[in-house]
Amino acid sequence: MNTALRFTYQDYLQLPEDRRYEIVAGDLYMVPAPIPYHQKVSRNLEFQLHQHVKAHDLGEIFYAPCDVLLSDTDVVQPDILFIGEKRLSIITETNIHGAPDLVVEILSPASERRDRGAKQKLYARAGVLEYWIVDPTAKTVEVFTLNETGYQRLNLFNHSETLSSPLFPDLFISLADIF
């Protein structure tokens, strides 16, 4: 394998628009369409986050597909992302240009290894303050916070618990309403 061959954002823009792609560390991945249950979990969580962010005028919530350009060789489409009020300037006409404050990835069999590996490291390097990994099969949400060495898992919430987050001190989400 030629390690000098890296896909860039310019290459990404030339790809057919009828499929979803991501570039992580210059490697191109096709992202399959999520199953309906994944979309239900995503919708429920995005709805709760959106209501909270809007009610408190905290910034903006976006959901996939929405391009997040972290570098010329890192273009991702997180399931849900949040950009705080003070950083709204990273929202451009065509993409999010920089690290969101929160990224939420909802696992699927095709994405779990990448979401827990390369993408988790990428988000930490880019400066994403919180990273949530939602496992629809186990009905859990892991909340990771960024420190000087990378992500530290703050908590693992199961479907019968109430999710809380340092990024949103007044937010409490009953996971029974999500799964």
Side-chain angles (χ1 to χ4, degrees), residues 3-72:
T3 57
L5 178 63
R6 293 286 179 234
F7 286 88
T8 67
Y9 183 59
Q10 290 307 312
D11 298 323
Y12 177 86
L13 293 174
Q14 303 304 314
L15 295 169
E17 293 183 23
D18 62 339
R19 293 189 175 102
R20 291 179 51 206
Y21 302 92
E22 291 184 320
I23 299 175
V24 178
D27 293 328
L28 179 67
Y29 298 93
M30 189 176 92
V31 182
I35 64 172
Y37 183 61
H38 175 287
Q39 292 300 83
K40 176 183 173 183
V41 169
S42 181
R43 178 202 62 217
N44 292 345
L45 185 55
E46 186 272 334
F47 178 76
Q48 296 271 349
L49 284 168
H50 176 75
Q51 280 192 314
H52 180 78
V53 166
K54 186 175 180 179
H56 294 88
D57 200 25
L58 299 175
E60 291 286 343
I61 295 285
F62 293 93
Y63 54 92
C66 181
D67 291 341
V68 176
L69 181 60
L70 298 173
S71 76
D72 193 46

Side-chain angles (χ1 to χ4, degrees), residues 83-101:
I83 301 163
E85 185 68 32
K86 294 179 182 174
R87 302 188 57 251
L88 293 177
S89 62
I90 69 171
I91 303 169
T92 73
E93 186 175 317
T94 56
N95 59 44
I96 308 300
H97 196 98
D101 295 291

Side-chain angles (χ1 to χ4, degrees), residues 78-170:
D79 289 301
I80 302 170
L81 59 110
F82 163 73
I83 301 163
E85 185 68 32
K86 294 179 182 174
R87 302 188 57 251
L88 293 177
S89 62
I90 69 171
I91 303 169
T92 73
E93 186 175 317
T94 56
N95 59 44
I96 308 300
H97 196 98
D101 295 291
L102 167 70
V103 165
V104 178
E105 292 287 5
I106 301 169
L107 300 179
S108 67
S111 75
E112 181 170 6
R113 189 170 170 198
R114 193 167 53 254
D115 289 342
R116 290 188 180 279
K119 285 175 76 175
Q120 186 167 354
K121 290 175 187 166
L122 170 64
Y123 294 144
R125 274 196 318 271
V128 175
L129 299 176
E130 274 191 28
Y131 181 46
W132 298 0
I133 296 179
V134 178
D135 185 335
T137 304
K139 297 184 179 183
T140 61
V141 179
E142 291 176 88
V143 174
F144 295 87
T145 57
L146 187 62
N147 63 31
E148 60 278 347
T149 61
Y151 284 120
Q152 175 182 348
R153 187 169 87 174
L154 184 66
N155 212 329
L156 171 66
F157 298 97
N158 69 47
H159 69 281
S160 65
E161 295 179 311
T162 299
L163 182 146
S164 61
S165 155
L167 195 57
F168 305 102
D170 300 327

